[in-house]
Amino acid sequence: TQLLEQSPQFLSIQEGENLTVYCNSSSVFSSLQWYRQEPGEGPVLLVTVVTGGEVKKLKRLTFQFGDARKDSSLHITAAQPGDTGLYLCAVKAGGTSYGKLTFGQGTILTVHP
Amino acid sequence: SQTIHQWPATLVQPVGSPLSLECTVEGTSNPNLYWYRQAAGRGLQLLFYSVGIGQISSEVPQNLSASRPQDRQFILSSKKLLLSDSGFYLCARGNRANTEAFFGQGTRLTVV
């Protein structure tokens, strides 16, 4: 059983469309991160959310942390081909000061021109 | 700035050969370091993490081992590679709270 469940696994859309991807868990977390990864490169941190109900915006990307701090969503407005990539959510699991960073399986987004 | 160097970028190795992937970190001391493996552009599987020199925690029993001979150096090794060891290997540094990860460019390993 995965600690983090991301959906959908794949998303293929046209430029200009809006989309939302999800990261869900049955566990409560003190914070959650979103990363984007392009082929052949390492993931790059986009945002960290820490407060239940928190909403953060990064240009056309809107991130929300669930009220119960068990889930999160990433919404992209007017998607562009440059948004194409693998979107990963991650949390610190293990409950210790050096808890392990654990990732979901990701959503592969393709934005067609 | 804090930089993570990982090499080589790509590697093709025969089954049964040894492996050594190196990761070094600049710009910070006593970092928390991770090795992840990623298959087919999907999620990251945590292999090893280290909170200090000589301190290694293994997450998945496997054909691989890790060492941290210096504060900013993290090495992933194998004595004999298997076909199933193929994948994209990523070294990462955690922030102080271990709530965020910063990655190197990765090594694409193909075992043939």
Side-chain angles (χ1 to χ4, degrees):
Chain A
T1 304
Q2 295 286 331
L3 179 64
L4 298 172
E5 296 286 345
Q6 288 193 244
S7 62
Q9 293 186 46
F10 303 93
L11 193 54
S12 180
I13 63 172
Q14 293 297 127
E15 182 176 2
E17 293 183 12
N18 301 331
L19 66 111
T20 302
V21 298
Y22 301 91
C23 177
N24 297 306
S25 178
S26 58
S27 301
V28 177
F29 303 106
S30 57
S31 66
L32 183 146
Q33 301 83 49
W34 284 95
Y35 296 78
R36 179 169 66 211
Q37 184 181 20
E38 298 187 14
E41 299 183 6
V44 175
L45 177 67
L46 296 175
V47 77
T48 297
V49 286
V50 297
T51 305
E54 179 178 7
V55 175
K56 282 192 173 180
K57 291 192 175 184
L58 185 64
K59 297 183 180 178
R60 294 175 294 100
L61 279 61
T62 301
F63 305 85
Q64 184 162 8
F65 202 13
D67 291 341
R69 291 184 287 125
K70 293 182 178 182
D71 51 74
S72 181
S73 64
L74 159 58
H75 181 81
I76 301 179
T77 304
Q80 299 177 359
D83 296 325
T84 293
L86 173 66
Y87 288 82
L88 296 157
C89 63
V91 294
K92 184 174 83 170
T96 65
S97 60
Y98 48 87
K100 300 160 287 187
L101 288 166
T102 301
F103 287 78
Q105 289 298 301
T107 294
I108 297 176
L109 171 65
T110 304
V111 183
H112 301 279
Chain B
S1 65
Q2 299 174 18
T3 305
I4 301 172
H5 298 284
Q6 202 180 328
W7 66 91
T10 59
L11 191 59
V12 180
Q13 291 285 101
V15 168
S17 64
L19 173 73
S20 181
L21 301 181
E22 188 162 345
C23 171
T24 60
V25 180
E26 293 181 354
T28 184
S29 59
N30 198 30
N32 297 317
L33 297 175
Y34 299 84
W35 277 111
Y36 290 90
R37 179 170 58 200
Q38 186 176 36
R42 299 302 293 172
L44 280 64
Q45 178 188 33
L46 179 61
L47 302 176
F48 301 95
Y49 71 98
S50 171
V51 299
I53 296 174
Q55 301 179 63
I56 309 294
S57 292
S58 174
E59 290 300 302
V60 181
Q62 58 205 333
N63 188 41
L64 302 170
S65 62
S67 62
R68 187 166 174 177
Q70 300 181 43
D71 181 45
R72 303 180 205 177
Q73 184 184 31
F74 203 21
I75 299 172
L76 183 69
S77 304
S78 174
K79 293 183 179 178
K80 289 185 177 181
L81 284 169
L82 306 172
L83 288 174
S84 58
D85 291 324
S86 294
F88 191 48
Y89 288 83
L90 288 155
C91 177
R93 170 188 67 79
N95 63 347
R96 283 295 176 201
N98 241 19
T99 54
E100 299 172 350
F102 303 92
F103 289 85
Q105 289 296 305
T107 295
R108 172 74 58 192
L109 172 66
T110 304
V111 182
V112 297

